[in-house]
Amino acid sequence: MDFINNIFNIFKEGIALDIQLDLGTPQIKNEAIRAYTHTIASTHPKYKEWLLGNNIQVRLVLDSYEKNDLNYNFIAPDIYGGHPLLDTLEVNISRFMKIADMSLFELIMGALRGGWHVVCMMDDYYIPNRYGYADQVGTKHLEMISGYREADDCFFIVGWNYRRAYDTQYISRADVLSAINGIFAESNDTYSFFLNKTKSGASYQFNVEDLLKELKLYIASENLTDNLFPYFGCTREKPNWRWTDAYRVYSRERYAYGISSNKYIAEYLRRNILNGFFEHNPLNAIHCIYEHKLCMLNRMHYLAEQDLIPLQYGEKWSDEYKRQVVDQAKIIENLYVKYAVTDNIDCLHKVCDIFEQLSYYEYSLTLDLIHLIEGSYME
């Protein structure tokens, strides 16, 4: 009940007009919920340190992989809980509206007035410049509400347009409420708003020892089941429900971790070519591969800027990593997009060849990076 009372107080402060919450530039946006948390967190002055101190480890869901779906992503304390720069609340709308006796519009406006970005599922059929609107079919996607303009009664919405570009636009109140109600009515009392804002007084300290530990876990491709506590905002001594749930699903049998994921992704692509089954959906996973490599490159630049490694060695490593890994990951993404548009199978053959070379250089250069950091850090 205290939780509900706290939410009620936030929303009942009053309806504010002409609100525009701050948005940053997310460095990771391969999926909606992660893109939104990064968009908000990137307004915090410590975002860069947090970004580069985390977002090292990745996992591939083998169950999905066996079903021709490439479910590949970061493991980082952003959507899993424990984000040091964000306050996050999940509000069951059915339950809350019964208690608070408020309309959806009042609820959203109260959240915005409290500084909360509202992330929720909407039916794209009602949202101009979205997939469902363009095709005139109902499709469900997460969108983020970050403002309101009174003059034309519009909400400020963040999301992906039909061209797959991360975009912002003003959408009429009527369309937004219709997009929410279309899903809310079918939710069987399970529909929720996810509220996020930067945490007041929050800080973060870049830790080289933690960085080295994660880099070693990455190239060792170790089962992370016993190393997931910080990702879920808890400790081994005091686990929480998120960790308990994670323990059941994060196992060696169902997940591949770290650099070993590359092997499975290459097998996935080769198998699709051999079987004549070509899946276009993994574009998000392919983009995640590129974001992961780019994040590693930016991490090296940061280490050099902070004098944590000698500048001359950092520049040499960065040049090689950019050429052999980052640029190649971008070529893979471009080829996969070209294949999705043209169905030219030669694009996938090229992707497989490039990916195997990328994997070799990534392992070698990441190991060099670990030795470089250890050599400088231990001095």
Side-chain angles (χ1 to χ4, degrees):
M1 185 57 68
D2 287 341
F3 174 77
I4 295 298
N5 287 335
N6 289 338
I7 302 296
F8 182 80
N9 289 334
I10 291 171
F11 292 154
K12 266 301 188 183
E13 288 180 359
I15 297 177
L17 304 177
D18 287 339
I19 303 169
Q20 178 62 70
L21 302 181
D22 290 339
L23 299 174
T25 303
Q27 299 303 302
I28 293 174
K29 54 178 186 288
N30 63 291
E31 63 175 343
I33 190 64
R34 179 162 271 128
Y36 298 144
T37 57
H38 278 257
T39 298
I40 300 165
S42 58
T43 64
H44 194 284
K46 288 290 186 177
Y47 172 71
K48 184 177 182 179
E49 289 185 39
W50 173 83
L51 173 75
L52 302 179
N54 295 278
N55 301 290
I56 298 167
Q57 190 56 268
V58 293
R59 92 288 184 274
L60 177 70
V61 184
L62 295 180
D63 286 357
S64 298
Y65 157 81
E66 293 295 338
K67 298 173 184 176
N68 287 307
D69 180 21
L70 201 58
N71 189 340
Y72 171 91
N73 218 319
F74 289 91
I75 297 177
D78 46 9
I79 64 172
Y80 298 103
H83 197 307
L85 306 181
L86 293 181
D87 281 323
T88 302
L89 295 172
E90 180 179 351
V91 182
N92 181 290
I93 301 305
S94 301
R95 183 185 178 194
F96 181 82
M97 292 179 70
K98 290 176 183 177
I99 295 174
D101 189 26
M102 302 176 73
S103 68
L104 270 176
F105 177 69
E106 290 176 318
L107 194 154
I108 295 170
M109 293 301 293
L112 292 173
R113 187 172 187 268
W116 298 90
H117 300 257
V118 179
V119 177
C120 59
M121 195 69 72
M122 297 188 194
D123 187 341
D124 283 1
Y125 178 86
Y126 300 96
I127 306 296
N129 206 25
R130 296 294 195 265
Y131 303 105
Y133 187 89
D135 297 336
Q136 289 296 287
V137 294
T139 58
K140 300 177 181 179
H141 286 100
L142 282 174
E143 305 281 350
M144 184 165 73
I145 306 173
S146 295
Y148 175 78
R149 189 168 62 195
E150 181 183 15
D152 47 5
D153 196 19
C154 287
F155 283 112
F156 187 65
I157 304 295
V158 183
W160 277 265
N161 63 29
Y162 71 97
R163 296 180 180 274
R164 298 185 63 85
Y166 194 56
D167 197 13
T168 60
Q169 64 182 123
Y170 279 97
I171 307 294
S172 73
R173 184 214 300 197
D175 284 341
V176 170
L177 296 183
S178 294
I180 294 174
N181 278 316
I183 297 176
F184 181 30
E186 303 174 356
S187 64
N188 296 319
D189 294 335
T190 61
Y191 188 83
S192 292
F193 280 175
F194 297 91
L195 311 182
N196 294 277
K197 67 178 178 180
T198 53
K199 187 178 296 183
S200 177
S203 187
Y204 181 84
Q205 186 67 42
F206 188 88
N207 188 301
V208 179
E209 292 181 358
D210 288 346
L211 172 65
L212 281 169
K213 178 183 176 182
E214 292 301 318
L215 287 172
K216 290 176 181 178
L217 287 172
Y218 177 73
I219 65 166
S221 303
E222 291 187 14
N223 183 350
L224 282 178
T225 307
D226 293 329
N227 297 285
L228 284 171
F229 294 102
Y231 298 115
F232 290 82
C234 64
T235 64
R236 184 184 301 275
E237 293 73 24
K238 294 182 179 180
N240 59 23
W241 68 270
R242 288 179 180 272
W243 160 252
T244 305
D245 182 61
Y247 194 87
R248 290 196 295 267
V249 299
Y250 280 71
S251 67
R252 184 174 298 278
E253 289 72 30
R254 297 186 63 188
Y255 280 71
Y257 295 101
I259 206 164
S260 70
S261 300
N262 292 348
K263 176 187 70 173
Y264 290 101
I265 294 171
E267 288 178 359
Y268 165 88
L269 296 171
R270 294 287 187 194
R271 184 183 65 196
N272 279 358
I273 294 173
L274 182 64
N275 295 341
F277 181 88
F278 310 120
E279 177 61 75
H280 294 170
N281 289 334
L283 285 172
N284 284 355
I286 297 297
H287 183 65
C288 183
I289 293 170
Y290 170 70
E291 288 185 332
H292 180 266
K293 311 319 171 198
L294 183 61
C295 191
M296 187 71 78
L297 179 63
N298 291 334
R299 188 173 290 115
M300 169 55 84
H301 291 160
Y302 178 80
L303 290 168
E305 290 171 2
Q306 300 300 312
D307 295 325
L308 295 171
I309 57 173
L311 180 61
Q312 65 272 26
Y313 295 115
E315 290 178 344
K316 181 179 179 181
W317 186 95
S318 296
D319 289 344
E320 186 75 1
Y321 191 85
K322 181 179 184 303
R323 183 168 59 88
Q324 300 289 5
V325 179
V326 178
D327 290 350
Q328 298 306 306
K330 190 61 180 177
I331 291 173
I332 287 173
E333 182 178 17
N334 290 340
L335 283 169
Y336 215 100
V337 170
K338 182 178 180 180
Y339 162 72
V341 173
T342 66
D343 285 328
N344 184 343
I345 193 64
D346 289 339
C347 294
L348 285 189
H349 283 292
K350 292 177 182 177
V351 164
C352 292
D353 293 339
I354 296 172
F355 195 81
E356 289 171 355
Q357 295 175 19
L358 177 152
S359 299
Y360 167 79
Y361 283 109
E362 183 187 15
Y363 181 88
S364 176
L365 288 167
T366 304
L367 190 60
D368 288 345
L369 174 61
I370 291 171
H371 293 156
L372 185 58
I373 296 173
E374 286 181 328
S376 301
Y377 185 66
M378 299 301 180
E379 292 179 355

